[in-house]
């Protein structure tokens, strides 16, 4: 039986490709973004307690109330914005499910969706599978800055949705207050929905404040914010996330969510809800990850790689211009095969596969692993 693919140009993701190659070559995997250290034992115990208390049947469709209330408290504490836990917060099976469901709920055939590249690779396929048209805007050079005049020029009567991501994966850059004010000005008096991917909101460095959409009333009134407990609390395999949005938008989201996953892991929701009651469990994360970033960069200071320190996320982009002129895809594979360290080439996320000779390395690792990585990189 022959079928026509709805995603004819989509193949295996670069994350799978590089992780499989790392496994085959017995290489150190700094490609895929997952920690190799455990979650807080207090969080594990809280989930185990929820299991013992028999929270083992369906959770409420929008999420366990204790968790939705804790999310609302966190948003109020960090961003001084009130989200109603009854109507404006939904717990999801990771941030990716939230992103896909938002796009499912709003994007119709021929609607245009603006994304900024290099972009996390789940955005474009979700748009395309619903018949939408991706309108890419390439971030500039190795600073990954936004040309807001170009953004203005790309908005049309067909623009349905815009997706932003800060702190930004894969570049490790962040949007500034000036950026957010420009964006607010551009979207004012339009019907464009904003999807703000803020999964690394708690991983931001050098005393910077995360510029959440929630801080900007004119943006928040048209926006979904998606977030990830997997990224935040070192348990990506749990696939736990959430989104917040004004009630009118969330009502449409729930129409799709209830037939997509309906609800997500109940005991984990209870455990995370209890864990969030202590704000220190997320307020201490910037310093925790900055120590890892600084340890890694100090360890490779004598290498031939160059860099700008990551501003956020747990990824560090390294330039290899001083080493070779190879394509980043080829150099990344050669590093994995010959030097036994895996990374992610950035060109695969760019609009026209622009190659700036940059590789992304994950530093959410133990110091032992980072020291081993540095020993390899210093010899290249």
């Amino acid at each position: 039986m022959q079928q026509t693919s709805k995603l004819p140009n989509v193949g295996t993701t670069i994350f799978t490709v590089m992780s499989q190659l790392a496994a085959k070559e017995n290489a150190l995997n700094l490609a895929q973004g997952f920690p190799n250290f455990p979650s807080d034992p207090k969080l594990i115990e809280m989930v185990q307690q929820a299991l013992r208390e028999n929270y083992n049947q369906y959770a409420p469709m929008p999420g366990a109330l204790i968790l939705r209330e804790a999310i609302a408290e966190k948003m109020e504490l960090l961003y001084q914005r009130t989200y109603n836990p009854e109507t404006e917060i939904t717990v999801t099976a990771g941030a990716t499910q939230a992103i896909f469901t938002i796009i499912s709920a709003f994007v119709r055939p021929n609607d245009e969706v603006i994304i900024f590249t290099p972009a996390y690779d789940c955005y474009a396929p979700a748009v395309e599978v619903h018949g939408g048209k991706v309108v890419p805007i390439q971030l500039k050079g190795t600073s990954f800055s936004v040309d807001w005049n170009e953004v203005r020029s790309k908005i049309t009567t067909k623009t349905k949705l815009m997706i932003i991501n800060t702190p930004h994966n894969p570049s490790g850059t962040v949007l500034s207050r000036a950026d957010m004010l420009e964006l607010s000005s551009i979207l004012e008096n339009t019907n464009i929905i904003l999807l703000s991917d803020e999964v690394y909101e708690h991983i931001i460095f050098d005393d910077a404040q995360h510029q959440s959409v929630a801080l900007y009333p004119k943006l928040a009134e048209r926006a979904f914010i998606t977030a990830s407990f997997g990224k935040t609390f070192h348990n990506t395999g749990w696939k736990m996330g959430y989104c917040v949005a004004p009630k009118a938008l969330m009502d449409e989201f729930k129409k799709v969510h209830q037939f997509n996953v309906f609800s997500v892991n109940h005991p984990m929701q209870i455990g995370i809800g209890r864990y969030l009651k202590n704000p220190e469990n997320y307020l201490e994360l910037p310093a925790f990850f900055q120590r890892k970033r600084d340890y890694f960069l100090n360890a490779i200071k004598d290498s031939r790689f160059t860099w700008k320190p990551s501003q956020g996320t747990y990824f560090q982009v390294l330039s290899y211009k001083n080493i070779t002129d190879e394509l980043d895809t080829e150099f990344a594979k050669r590093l994995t095969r010959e030097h036994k360290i895996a990374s992610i080439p950035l060109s695969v996320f760019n609009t026209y596969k622009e190659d700036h000779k940059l590789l992304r390395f994950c530093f959410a690792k133990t110091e032992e692993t980072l020291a081993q990585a540095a020993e390899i990189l210093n010899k290249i």
Side-chain angles (χ1 to χ4, degrees):
M1 187 172 69
Q2 293 185 343
Q3 297 290 328
T4 301
S5 174
K6 293 180 74 174
L7 295 170
N9 300 316
V10 171
T12 305
T13 72
I14 190 65
F15 304 107
T16 299
V17 169
M18 295 308 299
S19 288
Q20 287 180 345
L21 183 59
K24 177 183 176 183
E25 298 292 337
N26 195 29
L28 198 61
N29 187 356
L30 268 62
Q32 198 165 1
F34 61 88
N36 71 337
F37 45 84
S39 299
D40 187 342
K42 292 182 293 185
L43 174 57
I44 301 297
E45 173 54 33
M46 288 175 178
V47 171
Q48 290 174 335
Q49 181 63 30
L51 285 164
R52 291 191 291 267
E53 293 173 3
N54 202 30
Y55 286 97
N56 298 315
Q57 309 309 324
Y58 293 121
M61 184 266 286
L65 183 58
I66 185 176
L67 180 52
R68 284 180 282 138
E69 288 177 340
I71 292 166
E73 291 167 4
K74 182 169 76 77
M75 298 300 291
E76 179 73 34
L77 174 66
L78 294 178
Y79 311 121
Q80 301 79 55
R81 184 163 185 86
T82 300
Y83 287 92
N84 188 331
E86 296 284 355
T87 59
E88 298 182 318
I89 298 173
T90 302
V91 182
T92 60
T96 301
Q97 184 246 311
I99 291 166
F100 191 91
T101 302
I102 293 162
I103 292 168
S104 297
F106 293 98
V107 174
R108 296 177 173 87
N110 299 315
D111 281 345
E112 295 180 354
V113 178
I114 293 174
I115 68 172
F116 295 88
T117 58
Y120 186 59
D121 64 353
C122 81
Y123 303 158
V127 172
E128 291 167 354
V129 82
H130 289 95
K133 177 186 176 184
V134 172
V135 178
I137 296 177
Q138 180 69 34
L139 300 175
K140 300 307 174 187
T142 57
S143 66
F144 302 96
S145 59
V146 182
D147 181 340
W148 292 109
N149 288 328
E150 182 179 1
V151 175
R152 287 184 175 87
S153 73
K154 293 293 179 70
I155 291 176
T156 73
T157 56
K158 293 182 178 180
T159 306
K160 182 70 174 184
L161 182 72
M162 180 185 294
I163 304 176
I164 64 171
N165 174 210
T166 185
H168 182 257
N169 177 21
S171 73
T173 57
V174 300
L175 292 178
S176 67
R177 174 173 171 77
D179 287 321
M180 301 304 282
L181 291 174
E182 282 278 4
L183 178 59
S184 184
S185 173
I186 289 169
L187 295 184
E188 191 172 5
N189 299 320
T190 74
N191 290 317
I192 298 168
I193 297 166
L194 180 63
L195 195 170
S196 185
D197 179 351
E198 301 184 18
V199 301
Y200 297 101
E201 63 175 323
H202 299 298
I203 309 176
I204 189 164
F205 309 130
D206 303 313
D207 297 319
Q209 181 187 16
H210 168 53
Q211 296 300 309
S212 173
V213 160
L215 291 167
Y216 300 87
K218 290 181 181 179
L219 291 176
E221 69 186 9
R222 66 175 69 246
F224 281 93
I225 298 171
T226 61
S228 168
F229 293 120
K231 294 290 192 296
T232 300
F233 295 132
H234 329 315
N235 45 43
T236 59
W238 288 11
K239 295 299 294 180
M240 293 289 295
Y242 64 91
C243 62
V244 302
K247 180 180 183 299
L249 294 177
M250 190 60 76
D251 285 347
E252 296 303 310
F253 178 93
K254 289 177 181 176
K255 290 177 183 179
V256 177
H257 176 78
Q258 68 183 336
F259 298 116
N260 184 353
V261 295
F262 182 75
S263 64
V264 301
N265 192 298
H266 200 173
M268 288 181 179
Q269 290 192 54
I270 300 299
I272 294 171
R274 292 170 178 171
Y275 190 70
L276 283 177
K277 292 296 183 180
N278 180 4
E280 288 303 312
N281 289 329
Y282 51 85
L283 293 177
E284 65 186 11
L285 290 170
F288 173 81
F289 278 104
Q290 183 163 338
R291 286 193 295 270
K292 292 186 177 296
R293 181 202 69 174
D294 293 348
Y295 179 90
F296 178 57
L297 292 181
N298 184 64
I300 62 170
K301 67 181 186 299
D302 295 326
S303 75
R304 292 194 289 165
F305 291 92
T306 58
W307 60 84
K308 295 177 182 177
S310 174
Q311 296 174 298
T313 76
Y314 46 53
F315 302 113
Q316 178 62 54
V317 171
L318 301 181
S319 170
Y320 63 89
K321 282 186 176 180
N322 295 337
I323 299 172
T324 177
D325 290 329
E326 290 171 83
L327 295 174
D328 62 356
T329 49
E330 295 305 312
F331 186 52
K333 290 176 181 176
R334 185 164 72 83
L335 283 184
T336 308
R337 293 190 182 102
E338 297 181 10
H339 298 277
K340 307 304 179 185
I341 187 167
S343 59
I344 295 291
L346 260 64
S347 69
V348 299
F349 304 113
N350 287 330
T351 303
Y352 300 109
K353 308 301 181 189
E354 290 183 18
D355 183 0
H356 295 288
K357 313 304 179 190
L358 300 173
L359 301 179
R360 191 200 77 173
F361 293 82
C362 176
F363 58 80
K365 307 295 179 184
T366 63
E367 286 193 2
E368 180 183 11
T369 300
L370 294 176
Q372 184 181 353
E375 184 178 359
I376 295 170
L377 295 175
N378 287 337
K379 294 178 180 177
I380 295 170

